[in-house]
Amino acid sequence: MTYHPKSDFINVMMTRGFLADCTDYQGLDEALSNGVVPAYIGFDATAKSLHVGSLIQIMMLRWLQKTGHKPITLMGGGTTKVGDPSFRADERPLLGPEQIDANIAGIKQVFSAYLTYGDAPTDALMINNAEWLDDLNYLDFLRDIGRHFSINRMLSFESVKSRLDREQSLSFLEFNYMILQAYDFLELNRRHGCLLQMGGSDQWGNIVNGIDLTRRVLDQEIYGLTSPLLTTSDGKKMGKSQAGAVWLNPDMCSPYEFWQFWRNTTDADTGRFLKLYTELPLDECDRLGALEGSENNAAKIILANEVTTLLHGAEAAQAAEATAREVFEKGGVGDDLPTLTLSADELGDGMSIVQLIVKSGLAKSGKEAKRLIAENGARMNDAPLTDAGTMVDAAALATPIKLSAGKKRHALVQLG
């Protein structure tokens, strides 16, 4: 694409790799150049924390604010009751109102690290779509909103089509999700003058629906912009580590584990991730991304420090780096490692090393832990583990033990 944007925001989106598609580059660019543009991204409350997969969206909102516009974080208190079917093979489990509220409270913690909330023109707003969805009258909604939707068109969207093509059931409940999301955009435009919805490229159909609906009902010109769905260079979904999802809330993923996730970035991804997840200048991202061998490891440490500083603060990033250095360079234990604390009752007469490896999160199953030991990938206090039948009792845990899986993943086990 040869479009040269006038606005700082579109320029950042294009040059740093955030942009997959836009409904009207020129129209949006004009709007961004002419004044403060309120823009939103929706986050469904399906867990108590967002994970690294959502960080690209959070960074888009942060850049929006940094370039002089107004971010809106829309919490899906209403839509979570339905569940987004986009590109899923099955229906999401339905959550009750208490669980949804608890999840929203957990998710809110993260946004304040990236965005400034308040009443000034470019201060962020946090809004819950339950405000308007919970009190909808079904018949009024069908008559006023439902009539603008063509079933033929809805069936043509890739997120729905892919499910039907595989002959997987799509409930009427889920089918309504795209209508509700479109209605969110209309309500945010009506209530807050919101001109832009952003999201991952899997949300394209939902975003376009909202633009069409708002044009028809309010005669308003609004825009959509999507980011690429990120995978790592080895094809894995962004946000997952060997131990599972990399959560953004510190009580679900310690700053050290978070730091370590970024430190373990592959060489091929370093430059790209520096552009997306840090605010370092572009030429510096390119320079660091081009480094090879041990120099690339230094670039990954910069990446880990920058990303961890944004979320958890500079002190946490420095502590994580110091712990990593102690663990890897000196073979020490480090204070900040993921820690499994066992009670005397839990330990009983002893616990097998296989169970400990699983409980500490270094393997997902006993089978995986045994394979790790068989392939000489597991160590206890830096000594190779060779016997999957090894038992660990209270005497062995008189001082904490360090378990390792491969060279980069470690955990402490101690008696509480």
Side-chain angles (χ1 to χ4, degrees):
M1 184 181 40
T2 53
Y3 182 72
H4 299 294
K6 294 187 284 187
S7 66
D8 290 341
F9 179 66
I10 296 278
N11 188 47
V12 168
M13 291 297 99
M14 290 173 78
T15 55
R16 297 189 80 96
F18 285 98
L19 196 55
D21 217 335
C22 179
T23 54
D24 177 359
Y25 288 103
Q26 219 158 345
L28 176 58
D29 197 28
E30 285 292 333
L32 289 158
S33 304
N34 292 337
V36 174
V37 168
Y40 92 97
I41 297 178
F43 298 89
D44 274 348
T46 48
K48 283 192 174 143
S49 169
L50 300 172
H51 62 66
V52 163
S54 296
L55 203 47
I56 187 168
Q57 265 76 54
I58 296 172
M59 289 300 292
M60 287 165 83
L61 290 170
R62 183 174 167 87
W63 278 112
L64 183 88
Q65 189 166 48
K66 280 172 73 84
T67 53
H69 302 284
K70 189 176 188 73
I72 298 172
T73 43
L74 182 71
M75 305 310 299
T79 36
T80 303
K81 292 169 185 168
V82 175
D84 184 358
S86 297
F87 297 96
R88 283 181 64 87
D90 53 6
E91 191 167 339
R92 290 179 190 275
L94 296 180
L95 304 178
E98 295 82 10
Q99 185 62 61
I100 290 171
D101 288 346
N103 289 352
I104 287 174
I107 289 168
K108 279 181 177 177
Q109 297 171 34
V110 167
F111 289 115
S112 52
Y114 293 90
L115 302 171
T116 304
Y117 287 88
D119 302 319
T122 63
D123 282 352
L125 292 176
M126 181 164 290
I127 297 167
N128 186 338
N129 64 12
E131 268 181 45
W132 52 82
L133 294 181
D134 275 5
D135 298 324
L136 282 180
N137 177 302
Y138 186 60
L139 289 176
D140 289 347
F141 186 71
L142 279 181
R143 187 194 60 209
D144 299 338
I145 303 299
R147 67 192 178 89
H148 294 293
F149 287 83
S150 152
I151 292 286
N152 310 53
R153 186 147 185 266
M154 288 165 80
L155 289 171
S156 74
F157 284 119
E158 197 52 47
S159 56
V160 173
K161 209 150 117 344
S162 61
R163 187 96 154 249
L164 298 178
D165 286 349
R166 293 194 300 269
E167 297 185 4
Q168 286 159 334
S169 171
L170 179 73
S171 72
F172 180 66
L173 178 75
E174 294 174 287
F175 195 55
N176 273 269
Y177 184 92
M178 65 173 78
I179 300 180
L180 295 179
Q181 188 174 323
Y183 186 65
D184 282 346
F185 201 172
L186 182 147
E187 281 296 327
L188 285 171
N189 180 264
R190 185 166 19 213
R191 293 165 185 238
H192 301 283
C194 184
L195 293 181
L196 171 64
Q197 183 185 354
M198 301 187 290
S201 55
D202 60 336
Q203 294 300 313
W204 180 257
N206 291 336
I207 291 171
V208 168
N209 267 332
I211 292 170
D212 286 348
L213 179 66
T214 307
R215 277 191 193 135
R216 288 166 189 259
V217 177
L218 300 179
D219 196 24
Q220 283 286 338
E221 193 62 44
I222 55 176
Y223 308 96
L225 182 151
T226 58
S227 61
L229 286 183
L230 271 196
T231 54
T232 53
S233 58
D234 54 3
K236 291 193 181 117
K237 201 172 176 183
M238 188 61 186
K240 297 282 170 75
S241 72
Q242 284 170 291
V246 181
W247 300 103
L248 301 183
N249 285 24
D251 58 333
M252 292 173 70
C253 176
S254 73
Y256 174 78
E257 290 172 283
F258 184 76
W259 187 94
Q260 198 61 52
F261 171 78
W262 296 99
R263 168 64 184 83
N264 291 341
T265 296
T266 60
D267 291 6
D269 288 325
T270 307
R272 183 168 62 123
F273 286 2
L274 282 160
K275 288 178 187 174
L276 290 169
Y277 298 110
T278 82
E279 294 172 341
L280 291 175
L282 280 172
D283 54 355
E284 181 67 354
C285 296
D286 286 332
R287 184 187 74 77
L288 291 168
L291 296 174
E292 292 178 1
S294 59
E295 285 188 324
N296 190 274
N297 287 334
K300 291 176 195 178
I301 288 171
I302 291 170
L303 170 68
N305 283 341
E306 291 286 328
V307 183
T308 306
T309 297
L310 278 175
L311 178 59
H312 296 297
E315 272 182 44
Q318 286 157 12
E321 186 185 352
T323 297
R325 198 175 297 119
E326 193 178 332
V327 170
F328 302 137
E329 292 173 14
K330 301 175 190 167
V333 161
D335 301 326
D336 206 12
L337 285 178
T339 302
L340 169 66
T341 304
L342 295 171
S343 67
D345 285 349
E346 275 180 290
L347 187 65
D349 295 332
M351 193 176 279
S352 76
I353 195 66
V354 167
Q355 277 179 286
L356 285 180
I357 289 171
V358 173
K359 273 182 172 287
S360 62
L362 295 176
K364 287 181 185 169
S365 64
K367 192 175 172 186
E368 189 183 316
K370 285 174 184 169
R371 191 173 70 242
L372 200 63
I373 293 167
E375 292 171 357
N376 301 318
R379 295 187 309 288
M380 183 163 73
N381 292 334
D382 297 316
L385 276 166
T386 53
D387 181 6
T390 301
M391 296 296 289
V392 175
D393 58 15
L397 283 169
T399 56
I401 62 173
K402 182 177 91 174
L403 294 178
S404 305
K407 292 180 181 175
K408 295 180 178 178
R409 296 169 55 235
H410 310 272
L412 284 187
V413 181
Q414 62 185 19
L415 264 182

